[in-house]
Amino acid sequence: MTKILMVCLGNICRSPLAEGILKSKVFSSKALIDSAGTGAYHNGEKPDIRSINIAKKHNIDITGQSARKFVVEDFDEFDIIYVMDNSNYDNVIKLARDENDISKVRFILNEIFPKENLDVPDPYYGGDFGFKNVYKMLDEACDHIATKINKNG
Ligand code: 4NP
């Protein structure tokens, strides 16, 4: 059982989508998947309606999710922590206690473009196109992650 945490800033746009998409691709017995934000602005809220809608278009229901802040204990709970962008990376790394914590943190787009540390752009202040674009990137990245998980567990 691989435990995976998806992290963005608000935990209402990108990481809830990443959580929903990956859950739709892996055998549930092989992975536990959750998401969190480095900021607490939206604690307890459902995902952004634009994320809910783009997920729904692909037959994925993310309405049951609730935003929460990333906490240091997440380093103990999860095996892999995928961040959406460089700012998320810096914020998560600041909380790392040791090399083992640091080794768990990965850029999600490195699954498609290894070592490039590319950002999944924050779609919060844009229109629907940004969400479509984010969906496409996360879908492709999650395909790579799911292939590994479903093969190895
Ligand atoms: P997310 O997007 O990090 O993908 O959930 C954002 C959501 C909210 C805010 C920023 C980014 N905000 O500033 O409230």
Side-chain angles (χ1 to χ4, degrees):
M1 169 77 82
T2 309
K3 294 184 180 174
I4 294 178
L5 184 67
M6 302 294 190
V7 174
C8 62
L9 173 58
N11 192 209
I12 56 166
C13 297
R14 292 166 292 177
S15 59
L17 267 181
E19 177 186 337
I21 293 169
L22 188 59
K23 277 180 175 165
S24 77
K25 293 179 189 291
V26 297
F27 299 120
S28 56
S29 60
K30 295 227 170 187
L32 183 149
I33 303 150
D34 191 14
S35 65
T38 58
Y41 327 101
H42 297 277
N43 250 352
E45 291 178 22
K46 269 196 222 187
D48 187 285
I49 189 65
R50 295 164 294 178
S51 282
I52 289 177
N53 287 341
I54 189 85
K56 195 170 161 192
K57 234 177 126 173
H58 294 86
N59 295 315
I60 294 171
D61 180 6
I62 61 168
T63 57
Q65 294 187 33
S66 167
R68 73 163 176 94
K69 193 175 192 296
F70 178 87
V71 290
V72 70
E73 291 78 18
D74 286 319
F75 284 116
D76 301 320
E77 183 63 24
F78 294 93
D79 305 307
I80 306 173
I81 296 165
Y82 281 113
V83 294
M84 303 295 127
D85 67 24
N86 278 270
S87 156
N88 307 151
Y89 183 85
D90 293 345
N91 287 326
V92 169
I93 288 295
K94 268 184 218 155
L95 296 174
R97 299 155 299 185
D98 53 29
E99 284 301 317
N100 186 46
D101 286 354
I102 292 172
S103 73
K104 295 184 174 190
V105 188
R106 301 185 193 169
F107 286 84
I108 194 163
L109 288 188
N110 282 2
E111 293 291 327
I112 318 172
F113 307 106
K115 299 186 181 159
E116 293 194 25
N117 298 354
L118 296 176
D119 292 343
V120 177
D122 183 347
Y124 187 61
Y125 293 105
D128 287 341
F129 176 77
F131 282 78
K132 210 170 156 183
N133 188 36
V134 163
Y135 189 93
K136 195 161 171 264
M137 290 177 181
L138 293 178
D139 189 52
E140 194 177 336
C142 287
D143 272 337
H144 287 253
I145 299 168
T147 301
K148 286 189 276 191
I149 290 175
N150 288 334
K151 212 187 301 170
N152 304 319

